[in-house]
Amino acid sequence: MTDQSSGSFCNLDIPLPFELFASLLTLGHKYMIDDLIASGIARLRVLFPSNFDDWTDWIVDGKVSTPIEMSVFDVIPVIKLARLLGCPDILPVAFYACCSLRPAALLEGTFSCGRQVKLSHADIATCLNMRDKLLVKSSRIRRVFLEIPFAHIDGSRQHDSRSTQCTATARKLAMRVLDHGLLSDSYCFTRMDPWISGVQKELGEQLCPSCMALLRTDMNERMRQEWLDLGSMVGKS
């Protein structure tokens, strides 16, 4: 390994293609190169954090740059790498990502570093069990649309024409949530702003800034609470 490639690997600001990353990290583990192992684990922990605020900084708000260029299927070898490196804290979010894969991908695995990598039967069972639990979490998070706890609607502000419009828009959003099946979506730890913006554009109407801010805050707190037992779903408390 050249000094240049080692330096690039250790610099988290330089994104690496997943296959190159996985190959270097595997070699680092095989030959006990501590700097490579530490840098590799650090990259994985950016993408698969155990802390909810780190997750929102990275995946929801995009405040953190991508240290590894991955496809959706690369999460399968990530699970293998996490076990190889003894990093169980990476597994909850890695399995969460696996839950968005189609059944064929879960069963057949993917090719990585020139070989097929497949989940074990136990890992597939963990993923399927986790998906069922995430569907329940999704309904608890996104039923905020059905409960419409907005500033104009809950009586904390004087009733006016704006509150009437927000009430109508909120109820239409709630119906779209049901129509689009978003109460039963295993990928539930994501902000809904792009979806809301698209629906509001289609409707030709929108919530006022106060109602939208309250919706974001309420949903974020629900996600935070549901995140707390993510680790226990894969046997990590």
Side-chain angles (χ1 to χ4, degrees):
M1 182 183 301
T2 66
D3 291 340
Q4 182 178 3
S5 62
S6 176
S8 298
F9 189 86
C10 295
N11 185 352
L12 270 62
D13 292 328
I14 301 176
L16 296 177
F18 180 77
E19 290 220 352
L20 174 60
F21 165 79
S23 296
L24 291 174
L25 186 53
T26 302
L27 285 173
H29 179 267
K30 181 177 180 179
Y31 295 108
M32 296 181 287
I33 306 174
D34 292 340
D35 286 347
L36 283 184
I37 295 171
S39 297
I41 292 173
R43 285 179 184 265
L44 287 172
R45 283 178 172 156
V46 171
L47 292 179
F48 303 94
S50 56
N51 181 275
F52 177 75
D53 290 325
D54 292 338
W55 168 259
T56 55
D57 282 349
W58 149 237
I59 196 69
V60 178
D61 295 331
K63 296 177 182 177
V64 180
S65 61
T66 302
I68 310 171
E69 297 169 350
M70 296 179 60
S71 77
V72 294
F73 305 106
D74 290 331
V75 69
I76 294 175
V78 163
I79 290 174
K80 302 291 186 181
L81 284 173
R83 292 214 170 98
L84 176 69
L85 299 170
C87 297
D89 58 295
I90 293 170
L91 291 174
V93 175
F95 272 104
Y96 167 69
C98 264
C99 289
S100 66
L101 297 177
R102 295 181 180 274
L106 291 178
L107 293 172
E108 297 169 9
T110 187
F111 279 89
S112 179
C113 301
R115 64 188 181 89
Q116 189 176 25
V117 181
K118 299 177 68 174
L119 294 173
S120 68
H121 292 305
D123 285 343
I124 292 173
T126 295
C127 192
L128 294 177
N129 289 332
M130 187 178 195
R131 181 180 289 174
D132 288 342
K133 294 175 181 178
L134 288 171
L135 296 180
V136 176
K137 288 183 174 294
S138 176
S139 68
R140 288 200 290 252
I141 294 168
R142 293 176 181 170
R143 72 185 182 198
V144 64
F145 286 97
L146 307 181
E147 296 170 0
I148 49 173
F150 306 128
H152 291 297
I153 300 168
D154 65 10
S156 61
R157 292 192 177 188
Q158 184 177 357
H159 182 84
D160 54 22
S161 60
R162 179 71 243 188
S163 71
T164 301
Q165 182 177 333
C166 282
T167 300
T169 302
R171 295 193 185 283
K172 291 175 184 177
L173 285 171
M175 291 306 299
R176 292 300 177 91
V177 166
L178 295 174
D179 291 342
H180 293 186
L182 295 179
L183 288 183
S184 55
D185 177 9
S186 63
Y187 200 65
C188 57
F189 293 108
T190 184
R191 195 155 288 163
M192 299 286 291
D193 289 41
W195 179 86
I196 294 170
S197 296
V199 172
Q200 290 184 147
K201 184 176 180 180
E202 183 181 332
L203 293 172
E205 54 190 79
Q206 60 185 12
L207 298 171
C208 73
S210 295
C211 289
M212 191 64 197
L214 281 172
L215 176 60
R216 287 194 191 101
T217 299
D218 196 341
M219 186 172 296
N220 194 66
E221 286 309 306
R222 291 176 189 230
M223 286 194 292
R224 184 186 300 277
Q225 288 301 311
E226 296 297 338
W227 180 276
L228 293 176
D229 66 344
L230 200 61
S232 65
M233 295 185 188
V234 295
K236 177 188 177 296
S237 58

